[in-house]
Amino acid sequence: MAKRVWTAALLGGATLALASCNASKNDSLSGTAALDEAEKASETLLKTGGSGDDWGAIGFSYDEQRFSPLTDISDKNVGELGIAWTADLEDARGQEATPVVVDGVMYVSHAWSKVSAWDAATGKPLWKFDPKVPGERAVHACCDVVNRGVALWGDKVFVGTIDGRLIALDRKSGNELWSTQTVDADKPYTITGAPRVVKDMVLIGNGGAEFGVRGYVTAYDADTGKERWRFYTAPNPTKAKDGAASDEIFATKANATWSDKGEWQTSGGGGTVWDAIVYDKDLDQIYLGVGNGNPWNHGTRSNGEGDNWFLSSIVALDAATGQYKWHYQETPGETWDYTATQPIILAEQTVNGTPTKVLYHAPKNGFFFTIDRSNGKLIDAKPFVDRINWATGYDLATGRPIENPEARFYKTGKPFIAIPGALGAHNWHPMSYNPATGLVYIPAQQIPQGYLQDMNELDKRKVLGFNVGTSLTGTLLPDDKAAFRAAVAATTGRLVAFDPRTGKVAWAVDHPAAWNGGTMTTAGNLVFQGTSLGRFRAYTADTGKQLLDLDMQSGIVSAPSTFRVNGVQYVAFMTSKGGAFPLVAGVAGGATRKIPNIPRLVVLKIGGTAKLPAPPATTTLAWNPPPMTASAAQVAAGKAQFGRYCMVCHGDSAIGNGFTPDLRVSGTLANADAWKAVVVDGALKERGMVSFAKVLTPQDAEAIRAYVIERSNWTKANLPEASAPVGR
Ligand code: CA
């Protein structure tokens, strides 16, 4: 049936279009329903990429190369880019989405899973949609209430929400068409990734592997939201069947890679697919990028035994059925939060003289992988950053890493300062691939982290907060001023142009702040990238020569897209700070802290003359820490609790990041009752600060207050410029 309707579309005409509309959705081959005209147009755009006028999906097309064929803006004139229009957004939280543009309309998602549509050339707002996510769900988001984009298909727009819903919107009006709850709402699942549409199905994964969930991906009927298939990426806790597409591979092989002893049986094991889901139109299969285990610690998770499929793997599934085809596990027995969720790019490369369909991947663990898509075999794995200490390389014969034995801290019983750490050598920030240069442009970073075997009662599994099986408190920055500054200095960022053909870095640009923005590349020999220090830049794609450097007032971490309307090419992106690094690493973010957090959509064109709104007045926050009256023991107890429950949102050493409150200057800090009202009684739960009464007593809360008072005094005395509180 699909083929017959396709022929009708080629012939065109009202009669045939009517025949297509009348086609029964059940009259289908291989389980897929007929597509209507608008859906067929979407499918063609995703398969071919089209002329470049449209940017049809967050990754541009099914190959997700984030490469545009447009050349109106090129290395000859990119320096003439100016602002076409801007639009300020309502929530000063992280903005990570790539704008999607089809037929001159821009569709973009925002913090709190909101969606908006705009006239892409003029900036006229068309509609906005708010899924009204309850504020208290923010406590289940490891890395802010972000959203990385929508999927467009026919007359619909799809978005996943922080509270686990998948929602279909009418593309013209923004009205909700259907909504389905994709997760157990009683568990700490979230959705931050973009849905993908394949055939007539919309696919979505989830996050939550820091807290304790079991990962999976589900395919839903794009018209109705009805489930088609589900593939679990971690085993059933009893190793029983789920009635899911993943049953067979778990029963025959994957279950055996998990110990019968270990915390995974209560935690769910992790393995969430929170970002990369890519469709291979050539081989009709889907690739999932699978996340870390829960807990991280392989020793407690699986008794230190087994590779734990499918953690930190690329998994290939049959598109129609979700049946397993192959997988490649980048980090067997994952224990450092080395997710393989990072964006996946499909390309062709000549390997030993043979044109080969490959996928490119630069996951957290610091190695760049080239994998044969037809069979999952590793072709090459080479470092894309300078400093990696958990492994020295990969054995290409076995496909396995050559590990540093000291890295498995649960075996040695000794702490290990790993680089990369849990924030990865590359996180979610999209990379791009330019077929003309053959280079992949990676927003890379070097952020070390200590890992310690889970030793004390506080680090055990709790109903709130991270449950990772390694002491977070033990990894707080040192109190020694020199050591503190050295740790900050060891944290760096870099735009890496990696050549998969040689396994080497072709060129690189260093960024003083680690968290640098996603990239986009074009046939105009350009690479575009924003920085978390508020610059928007373009470089030549072949050599990395900087050709553009615009001041955007606020940080840029999202990736740009480009499109053309009425013959004019535009470049679009969002500004904001956001994501895990600025949350946790207040002072390590260095100058990033001082950049205002302005959530804004920005669109550029050659000769654009619009101006940014005036920047917000820089506010110097009064920094008058209350006197320290608590005992050393109380401060130490508060430090342990802070590291366990507070640091991941309020920053190491309580040094604020400029987008969640800096507790060192909180109005409640001097008042024990007001502090308790927030921490224990949940006075600010609508803003995402829920009650921690399930895990903290009033005495604990008071100890945390003592610690924050101590930090406020200590940082003011020792790091006054580097850590001065900044307004939000
Ligand atoms: Ca993780």
Side-chain angles (χ1 to χ4, degrees):
M1 184 62 225
K3 193 170 181 185
R4 182 145 49 91
V5 174
W6 185 238
T7 309
L10 290 174
L11 293 170
T15 314
L16 289 163
L18 186 64
S20 161
C21 289
N22 289 340
S24 163
K25 291 269 181 179
N26 297 322
D27 182 7
S28 62
L29 294 171
S30 68
T32 58
L35 305 181
D36 67 27
E37 296 302 314
E39 290 165 342
K40 279 185 289 190
S42 292
E43 184 175 65
T44 302
L45 179 62
L46 290 171
K47 282 184 171 171
T48 67
S51 63
D53 283 7
D54 296 327
W55 185 278
I58 55 161
F60 181 67
S61 68
Y62 275 139
D63 292 343
E64 304 217 1
Q65 294 181 351
R66 294 177 182 261
F67 167 79
S68 168
L70 296 182
T71 55
D72 305 71
I73 300 169
S74 74
D75 54 1
K76 305 286 187 296
N77 63 359
V78 68
E80 298 162 31
L81 275 178
I83 295 171
W85 60 271
T86 66
D88 283 12
L89 307 168
E90 50 197 33
D91 300 297
R93 302 293 287 257
Q95 310 292 341
E96 298 186 353
T98 306
V100 171
V101 181
V102 175
D103 297 337
V105 178
M106 178 184 295
Y107 306 87
V108 65
S109 64
H110 315 291
W112 294 108
S113 327
K114 295 175 183 177
V115 183
S116 59
W118 310 79
D119 181 310
T122 67
K124 181 186 166 205
L126 300 178
W127 53 257
K128 63 181 180 179
F129 170 77
D130 180 356
K132 298 199 174 357
V133 172
E136 60 263 35
R137 289 297 297 190
V139 77
H140 296 319
C142 71
C143 312
D144 200 9
V145 290
V146 293
N147 191 284
R148 282 182 295 279
V150 299
L152 194 72
W153 183 253
D155 57 6
K156 297 184 185 66
V157 177
F158 299 99
V159 67
T161 68
I162 278 286
D163 56 350
R165 288 171 284 162
L166 177 65
I167 298 177
L169 304 174
D170 181 275
R171 183 175 152 190
K172 289 240 159 48
S173 66
N175 292 334
E176 184 175 306
L177 298 173
W178 56 255
S179 172
T180 187
Q181 177 52 265
T182 71
V183 302
D184 179 344
D186 292 334
K187 295 195 168 135
Y189 283 105
T190 51
I191 296 177
T192 57
R196 308 301 203 281
V197 186
V198 178
K199 302 176 191 289
D200 61 339
M201 300 176 291
V202 51
L203 277 59
I204 193 75
N206 44 58
E210 267 59 62
F211 304 90
V213 297
R214 179 187 180 203
Y216 56 86
V217 166
T218 316
Y220 295 92
D221 184 298
D223 283 329
T224 64
K226 194 163 165 266
E227 183 177 325
R228 289 283 192 78
W229 55 255
R230 176 168 290 180
F231 189 93
Y232 286 93
T233 40
N236 183 301
T238 65
K239 296 193 176 177
K241 290 192 171 174
D242 297 297
S246 42
D247 280 351
E248 188 183 344
I249 187 63
F250 273 99
T252 55
K253 291 182 174 168
N255 278 336
T257 69
W258 292 75
S259 172
D260 286 331
K261 298 190 281 280
E263 210 174 321
W264 71 271
Q265 290 159 308
T266 49
S267 78
T272 49
V273 181
W274 54 261
D275 199 41
I277 301 172
V278 175
Y279 176 61
D280 184 333
K281 64 187 188 302
D282 304 323
L283 301 174
D284 196 26
Q285 58 194 17
I286 292 161
Y287 308 108
L288 312 179
V290 184
N292 56 279
N294 184 280
W296 294 347
N297 186 333
H298 186 233
T300 50
R301 182 178 69 240
S302 186
N303 203 33
E305 297 163 1
D307 285 348
N308 294 180
W309 294 8
F310 295 99
L311 304 182
S312 304
S313 300
I314 306 277
V315 181
L317 305 178
D318 177 78
T321 65
Q323 288 292 318
Y324 171 89
K325 293 182 90 169
W326 55 256
H327 81 286
Y328 173 71
Q329 190 170 40
E330 292 169 343
T331 314
E334 191 294 299
T335 197
W336 308 274
D337 188 21
Y338 286 168
T339 66
T341 53
Q342 282 59 43
I344 295 168
I345 285 176
L346 308 186
E348 302 216 352
Q349 183 183 320
T350 300
V351 179
N352 299 326
T354 308
T356 306
K357 294 181 195 312
V358 296
L359 72 79
Y360 293 141
H361 201 225
K364 278 187 181 177
N365 78 16
F367 291 90
F368 186 96
F369 294 85
T370 304
I371 295 167
D372 185 331
R373 286 189 254 152
S374 70
N375 55 21
K377 290 277 182 292
L378 178 64
I379 294 169
D380 204 3
K382 290 289 188 315
F384 60 89
V385 285
D386 297 337
R387 290 180 285 152
I388 298 176
N389 70 356
W390 73 277
T392 55
Y394 275 72
D395 179 336
L396 295 182
T398 63
R400 296 182 74 89
I402 304 157
E403 288 188 13
N404 171 2
E406 291 174 17
R408 293 206 177 258
F409 54 94
Y410 60 88
K411 282 191 180 168
T412 65
K414 293 181 190 144
F416 181 70
I417 297 175
I419 186 158
L423 289 165
H426 174 212
N427 207 291
W428 61 268
H429 313 80
M431 63 182 192
S432 57
Y433 166 70
N434 191 318
T437 62
L439 303 178
V440 178
Y441 307 98
I442 309 165
Q445 58 200 19
Q446 301 259 256
I447 309 173
Q449 177 176 333
Y451 295 82
L452 295 153
Q453 176 74 346
D454 183 7
M455 292 296 186
N456 64 46
E457 192 54 37
L458 186 59
D459 289 320
K460 298 270 168 65
R461 181 163 299 276
K462 299 290 194 302
V463 296
L464 278 176
F466 276 28
N467 291 304
V468 294
T470 168
S471 171
L472 293 172
T473 298
T475 69
L476 287 171
L477 286 166
D479 282 356
D480 177 77
K481 191 166 148 184
F484 194 114
R485 289 187 185 276
V488 171
T491 299
T492 59
R494 179 180 252 197
L495 168 60
V496 170
F498 189 87
D499 190 339
R501 298 161 300 189
T502 62
K504 292 194 165 68
V505 175
W507 56 261
V509 176
D510 286 322
H511 293 304
W515 207 241
N516 57 113
T519 70
M520 183 265 287
T521 182
T522 77
N525 190 32
L526 293 171
V527 178
F528 292 91
Q529 187 193 33
T531 80
S532 61
L533 295 181
R535 315 302 299 194
F536 187 73
R537 291 180 176 149
Y539 307 89
T540 54
D542 52 357
T543 63
K545 184 181 175 205
Q546 184 176 302
L547 301 175
L548 177 76
D549 180 30
L550 295 176
D551 178 5
M552 283 296 139
Q553 296 180 352
S554 183
I556 303 160
V557 290
S558 63
S561 59
T562 187
F563 57 93
R564 189 165 55 188
V565 181
N566 296 327
V568 177
Q569 185 183 352
Y570 299 83
V571 174
F573 57 93
M574 283 196 286
T575 65
S576 84
K577 304 207 274 194
F581 174 72
L583 272 173
V584 73
V587 77
T592 307
R593 297 178 61 255
K594 295 173 186 159
I595 300 288
N597 189 21
I598 305 170
R600 177 181 289 153
L601 196 50
V602 179
V603 179
L604 309 177
K605 67 175 180 181
I606 296 292
T609 55
K611 297 273 182 276
L612 293 177
T618 43
T619 48
T620 308
L621 298 180
W623 194 4
N624 302 309
M628 288 169 56
T629 55
S631 67
Q634 195 178 22
V635 170
K639 177 179 180 177
Q641 300 281 7
F642 184 91
R644 180 69 175 84
Y645 296 113
C646 316
M647 174 181 73
V648 294
C649 287
H650 290 287
D652 196 310
S653 296
I655 297 169
N657 44 57
F659 77 113
T660 56
D662 191 316
L663 300 182
R664 299 170 304 155
V665 292
S666 167
T668 61
L669 189 57
N671 183 321
D673 289 339
W675 183 269
K676 174 181 165 290
V678 174
V679 176
V680 179
D681 304 334
L684 298 179
K685 74 172 186 178
E686 282 306 313
R687 287 159 61 177
M689 176 61 201
V690 300
S691 161
F692 278 72
K694 285 177 184 165
V695 288
L696 295 174
T697 64
Q699 291 73 27
D700 294 332
E702 184 59 11
I704 292 170
R705 190 172 76 92
Y707 169 68
V708 175
I709 290 171
E710 185 274 338
R711 284 289 90 186
S712 193
N713 282 283
W714 189 89
T715 51
K716 190 177 181 190
N718 291 284
L719 300 160
E721 337 76 42
S723 74
V726 287
R728 285 199 284 155

